[in-house]
Amino acid sequence: MSHSVEQFFDNLWNDYIKLTPSAAKVHQVLGQGRSIINDHVAFRTFNLAPVRLETLAKHFEGMGYKACGDYAFEAKKLVAKHFEHSDPTLPKIFISELLVEEFSPELQRIVKSLVAQIDADDVAKPEFLYSGAHWQISSTDYEQLLEESEYAAWMAAFGFRANHFTVNVNELPDYESLEQVNETLKQAGFRLNTSGGEIKGSRDVFLEQSSTMADHTAVRFSDMEKVVPSCFYEFAKRYEVAPNQLYTGFVAASADKIFESTNARTDTSTEQDGNA
C-alpha cells in the first residue's frame, strides 16, 4: 500500500472524528485498543459538474480502486456506485449522488448556487474529499432543503467528507455476530438507527448492517449557528456467497435505511423545529 493511500485515509478519518467524536469512542469500546478494519467509507455528492460521482471516483481509481456495483434509490432520488481495491485491508468506497433535476425548482436553485461556489481546480485534488463545504448557505435555505431531501440538507451543511465509516464486523476480535456488537454499543450508551429494524439485511442477502444515529454538531450558517445531525458509524457483517468468498456488494434496500441515520426527522431524541 502506498504511503499516499494510507495518508489519505488517515486524513479522512481525522476529519470524520472531528464531526463524529462518538466514532472514536466506538473504537475504544469495540477495539479495546486494537486496530479496527473498516469495511467501507461512504461519500455523498450532487450530480452536477464539477462534483459528479464519476469525477470524485477518479481520485479512488487513481489509488487503484475499481468500480464494482451500481445502485438506485428511487424514493430518495439517488444513484450510487461502490469501488473495491485489490488490497482487501483497504475499505470499499461507496459514493452516492443526488439526482438534482428530479426535485423542485427551489431545491435545484439552492443546490446549483452551492455548487457554483466550488472551484473546479480544488475538485482535482484528493484532499477535496475531506474539504467540507465550499459555500455559504443560510439556515433558511438549509431548512428548505430539509423539507424535500435530508440528503441535500446534509450536503449543504457539511459538504465533501466521509458521511460514515463502517466497522468490518467479520474482522472484529471478540464478536461473532452483529447482535453482539449492537448489544455492546447499547450498553455503552450509543443510540442505534432503528429504521427498518436495528439490523438491516440478513444472512439471506449475505450482508447485515447496523449503525449509530448521527452525532449532533453546531454548524455556522450565514445567518446563525444551528445544531444539526452530522455523521454516524456503521457496522457490517458479511456472509459467504461461496466457500471462503465473502459477499462484497451492497443491498440497496438496507442502504436506503442506513441513509436515515442522519435524518433529524426520524431522530426523536432531538427537539424538532416548528416546521418539521
Side-chain angles (χ1 to χ4, degrees):
M1 188 192 334
S2 76
H3 172 71
S4 61
V5 180
E6 215 162 33
Q7 191 61 56
F8 171 82
F9 282 110
D10 281 350
N11 294 346
L12 191 69
W13 173 259
N14 290 334
D15 174 72
Y16 165 73
I17 57 174
K18 272 190 256 165
L19 287 182
T20 325
S22 68
K25 294 187 194 124
V26 167
H27 260 221
Q28 290 159 3
V29 170
L30 296 181
Q32 301 288 331
R34 290 168 293 195
S35 67
I36 280 180
I37 292 181
N38 281 296
D39 177 87
H40 67 274
V41 185
F43 296 86
R44 295 178 172 187
T45 193
F46 300 117
N47 69 336
L48 299 172
V51 292
R52 291 177 184 279
L53 190 164
E54 263 72 17
T55 310
L56 301 191
K58 286 184 178 129
H59 291 301
F60 295 105
E61 287 161 350
M63 296 177 207
Y65 278 84
K66 291 191 166 50
C68 291
D70 292 276
Y71 310 90
F73 302 93
E74 282 166 25
K76 290 188 170 61
K77 301 173 183 172
L78 301 169
V79 293
K81 279 181 186 286
H82 98 264
F83 301 80
E84 295 177 30
H85 199 280
S86 57
D87 176 350
T89 66
L90 284 175
K92 287 174 272 295
I93 300 296
F94 187 88
I95 309 177
S96 55
E97 66 180 356
L98 195 71
L99 304 174
V100 178
E101 71 282 358
E102 295 190 11
F103 288 88
S104 72
E106 187 60 9
L107 180 140
Q108 293 185 49
R109 180 192 64 74
I110 297 170
V111 170
K112 283 174 180 168
S113 75
L114 301 181
V115 174
Q117 295 172 63
I118 300 170
D119 182 338
D121 289 345
D122 290 340
V123 185
K125 301 166 190 158
E127 54 268 31
F128 179 75
L129 292 161
Y130 47 84
S131 63
H134 289 245
W135 46 69
Q136 284 283 300
I137 182 170
S138 68
S139 62
T140 320
D141 278 356
Y142 169 82
E143 289 295 333
Q144 174 87 37
L145 293 177
L146 196 54
E147 288 292 315
E148 271 193 79
S149 167
E150 181 279 324
Y151 183 109
W154 187 91
M155 276 298 300
F158 297 105
F160 298 91
R161 46 175 33 117
N163 171 259
H164 62 273
F165 274 73
T166 307
V167 171
N168 179 336
V169 173
N170 298 70
E171 298 289 338
L172 210 51
D174 312 327
Y175 293 92
E176 290 296 307
S177 70
L178 190 52
E179 282 90 347
Q180 289 173 321
V181 170
N182 288 351
E183 209 43 55
T184 300
L185 292 168
K186 285 190 290 188
Q187 284 175 4
F190 292 95
R191 289 183 53 246
L192 298 185
N193 168 346
T194 56
S195 176
E198 271 182 14
I199 293 181
K200 296 93 170 85
S202 65
R203 187 187 285 266
D204 295 345
V205 292
F206 309 110
L207 176 63
E208 292 175 340
Q209 294 162 274
S210 65
S211 64
T212 61
M213 287 304 288
D215 283 16
H216 284 68
T217 194
V219 171
R220 164 58 59 197
F221 292 98
S222 60
D223 54 338
M224 64 180 284
E225 196 170 82
K226 193 175 173 65
V227 175
V228 300
S230 58
C231 307
F232 58 95
Y233 211 167
E234 191 189 321
F235 313 92
K237 164 94 175 170
R238 295 179 178 277
Y239 291 94
E240 291 183 342
V241 285
N244 302 316
Q245 188 191 335
L246 291 176
Y247 177 67
T248 60
F250 293 85
V251 177
S254 303
D256 189 69
K257 301 298 183 195
I258 292 285
F259 279 119
E260 299 293 330
S261 303
T262 54
N263 194 347
R265 300 259 183 265
T266 58
D267 187 349
T268 51
S269 78
T270 57
E271 281 190 53
Q272 300 288 354
D273 293 309
N275 63 356

